[in-house]
């Protein structure tokens, strides 16, 4: 079921208990779909919106006590037990929560790492030889994907005998995503789902395109090798084992906010693999030993999630613009909405057919998204405002001549329409990659 259908169903439920039950079952279903097969009917932001709904209504719900991957109901892979629990991290979304975290442990800096958005894995070694690869699962037990892990990049089949296990994130780097798609009859839609789906193939087909980026290590005798802190561990993986890790850096509380915003707004898009936030780790072995308990979620680590790229607003008008030759493109004018530090007031509506299919109308409460710095779009109608159909223009907004409906679009067929000619010329320059010529210069 897609997000629009889920939202409409929630709006029909009158009692809080019914909404909680429906949200929990829906979230479990989509966790099962995503982590079980790598498929999904929801965008990341849509899933997060449903999770936020549940957290708002019932913040102590048992659903939040387990990793998302624990809701897999059926898998062709056998279960295997982790050496040490692969615990989940508490999540925060604001600088105030981060500073409170740092103040609690009385530290003026933390180790900051990429929070990979793929599939977590533990790779276990015995006497220096790889013996098992296990997904996170419920933290205690996961799926034994050894036969696929050994095919992945950055996975050593042998290591020094002091290494008990490596932990990392299975990702699909952009260049490998493109290369893998060239081998498939049905191309993958995105890197995140592609990484999970490929990992779960029984045949192991495509696993050679995947990469494991490491973020933790367990040694037989960490003190012997002077491994005292999270930073020591990352340096050992990178320098002693010569393996790729997630990016990491010590950051002071003075610069932590600027670092986060810089990473979210600039660095994230250049990485080549998906991340959905940063992981913060207290880099003090005494405090880690004092506060963290084996087998429980670590108190000295947390996940700082990037700002949500979706939000709710109301359509207050619809403008029509002549684009892509002779086609009129509808643009929703919405109540101002802050998304990831940007004020959104307009969102694309694609075309008249899309408006009709999705029940778009003035006054509707809608879900708005802004992903990867693209033009904001309307993803779904959350609440109707009566039966108010959109009134389409009868004349071209540029030349004033009558327009016609052709399939999914409204078009201007006036050969003397200047705006249409400019639009066609602009598109021609784009196709031919003619530089330094934009609409203003044309």
């Amino acid at each position: 079921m897609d997000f629009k259908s889920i939202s409409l169903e929630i709006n029909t439920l009158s009692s809080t208990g019914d909404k909680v039950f429906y949200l929990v079952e829906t979230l479990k279903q989509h966790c099962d779909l995503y982590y079980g097969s790598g498929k999904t009917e929801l965008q990341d932001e849509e899933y997060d919106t449903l999770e936020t709904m549940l957290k708002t209504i019932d913040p102590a719900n048992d659903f939040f006590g387990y990793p998302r991957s624990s809701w897999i109901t059926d898998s062709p892979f056998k279960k295997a037990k982790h050496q040490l629990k692969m615990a989940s991290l508490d999540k925060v979304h604001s600088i105030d929560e981060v500073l409170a975290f740092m103040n609690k442990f009385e530290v003026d800096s933390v180790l900051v790492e990429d929070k990979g958005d793929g599939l977590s894995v533990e790779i276990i070694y015995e006497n220096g030889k790889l013996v098992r690869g296990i997904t996170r699962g419920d933290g205690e037990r996961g799926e034994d994907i050894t036969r696929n892990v050994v095919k992945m990049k950055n996975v050593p089949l042998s290591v020094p005998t002091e290494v008990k296990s490596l932990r990392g994130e299975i990702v699909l780097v952009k260049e490998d995503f493109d290369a893998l798609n060239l081998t498939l009859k049905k191309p993958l839609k995105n890197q995140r789902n592609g990484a999970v789906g490929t990992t779960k193939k029984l045949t192991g087909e495509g696993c050679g395109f995947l990469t494991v980026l490491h973020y933790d290590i367990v040694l037989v005798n960490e003190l012997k090798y002077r491994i005292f802190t999270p930073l020591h561990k990352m340096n050992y993986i990178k320098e002693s084992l010569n393996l790729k890790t997630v990016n990491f850096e010590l950051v002071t509380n003075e610069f932590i906010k600027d670092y986060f915003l810089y990473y979210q707004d600039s660095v994230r898009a250049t990485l080549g693999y998906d991340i959905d936030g940063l992981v913060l780790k207290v880099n003090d072995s005494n405090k880690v030993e004092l506060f963290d308990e084996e087998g429980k979620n670590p108190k000295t680590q947390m996940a700082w999630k990037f700002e949500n790229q979706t939000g709710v607003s109301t359509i207050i008008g619809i403008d029509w613009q002549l684009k892509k030759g002779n086609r009129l493109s509808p643009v929703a004018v919405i109540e101002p909405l802050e998304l990831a530090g940007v004020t959104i007031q307009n969102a694309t509506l694609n075309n008249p057919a899309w408006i009709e299919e999705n029940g778009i109308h003035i006054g509707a409460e809608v879900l708005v998204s802004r992903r990867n710095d693209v033009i904001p779009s309307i993803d779904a109608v959350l609440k109707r405002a009566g039966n108010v159909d959109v009134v389409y223009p009868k004349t071209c907004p540029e030349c004033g001549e009558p327009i016609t409906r052709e399939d999914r679009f409204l078009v201007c067929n006036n050969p003397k329409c200047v705006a249409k000619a400019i639009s066609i010329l602009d598109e021609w320059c784009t196709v031919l990659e003619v530089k330094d010529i934009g609409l203003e210069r044309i």
Side-chain angles (χ1 to χ4, degrees), residues 67 80-88 120-126 132-142 162-168 215-222 233 288 292-298 301:
K81 185 176 176 60
H82 291 292
Q83 283 194 338
L84 294 174
K85 181 178 180 180
M86 289 192 74
S88 297
S120 296
V121 64
E122 179 183 41
I123 304 169
I124 299 174
Y125 295 86
E126 292 179 2
R132 191 162 291 113
I134 310 171
T135 62
R136 181 194 296 277
D138 64 3
E140 299 284 354
R141 298 168 64 83
E162 66 265 20
V163 177
K164 293 177 68 176
S165 70
L166 286 163
R167 296 181 173 195
Y215 58 74
D216 199 5
I217 188 172
V218 178
L219 298 175
V220 174
N221 187 342
E222 295 184 352
K233 288 188 173 187
V288 171
D292 289 352
E293 300 178 50
E294 188 173 308
K296 295 187 177 181
N297 291 354
Q301 300 180 23

Side-chain angles (χ1 to χ4, degrees), residues 189-366:
K189 292 183 178 180
N190 60 65
Q191 291 164 251
R192 182 194 186 201
N193 292 355
V196 178
T198 304
T199 298
K200 297 298 184 71
K201 285 188 176 181
L202 283 173
T203 62
E205 181 184 359
C207 285
F209 291 92
L210 302 177
T211 299
V212 176
L213 296 177
H214 304 285
Y215 58 74
D216 199 5
I217 188 172
V218 178
L219 298 175
V220 174
N221 187 342
E222 295 184 352
L223 295 181
K224 176 181 177 181
Y225 299 97
R226 303 188 64 78
I227 306 297
F228 304 117
T229 67
L231 180 59
H232 288 147
K233 288 188 173 187
M234 296 301 286
N235 282 330
Y236 182 90
I237 297 170
K238 188 173 183 178
E239 297 170 7
S240 297
L241 300 184
N242 196 30
L243 296 173
K244 293 179 181 178
T245 67
V246 295
N247 292 329
F248 62 95
E249 186 172 350
L250 272 179
V251 182
T252 63
N253 56 6
E254 180 183 1
F255 295 106
I256 191 70
K257 180 179 180 180
D258 289 340
Y259 186 88
F260 177 85
L261 294 175
Y262 171 65
Y263 223 89
Q264 174 183 262
D265 299 336
S266 300
V267 177
R268 178 187 189 184
T270 68
L271 292 176
Y273 55 89
D274 290 338
I275 65 173
D276 60 357
L278 299 174
V279 173
L280 277 56
K281 298 180 178 180
V282 172
N283 197 49
D284 184 318
S285 58
N286 292 326
K287 287 172 181 174
V288 171
E289 186 176 349
L290 177 64
F291 287 95
D292 289 352
E293 300 178 50
E294 188 173 308
K296 295 187 177 181
N297 291 354
K299 295 178 181 178
T300 60
Q301 300 180 23
M302 64 182 227
W304 190 0
K305 298 276 288 199
F306 289 137
E307 292 182 38
N308 203 337
Q309 295 285 72
T310 63
V312 177
S313 185
T314 301
I315 297 178
I316 58 177
I318 296 178
D319 289 338
W320 295 83
Q321 303 169 358
L322 193 63
K323 291 184 177 180
K324 294 185 177 180
N326 63 346
R327 294 177 181 175
L328 271 67
S329 297
V331 177
V333 181
I334 62 174
E335 294 284 357
L337 173 67
E338 288 287 328
L339 286 184
V342 177
T343 301
I344 306 298
Q345 293 181 285
N346 298 287
T348 182
L349 292 174
N350 298 307
N351 54 63
W354 190 90
I355 288 176
E356 295 156 6
E357 292 163 0
N358 289 274
I360 299 295
H361 58 281
I362 294 173
E365 187 176 274
V366 293

Side-chain angles (χ1 to χ4, degrees), residues 422-423 425-427 429-430 434-442:
I422 292 174
S423 176
L425 184 57
D426 178 56
E427 194 167 344
C429 290
T430 300
V434 180
K435 297 181 179 179
D436 301 322
I437 295 182
L439 282 173
E440 291 186 5
R441 182 164 292 186
I442 292 174

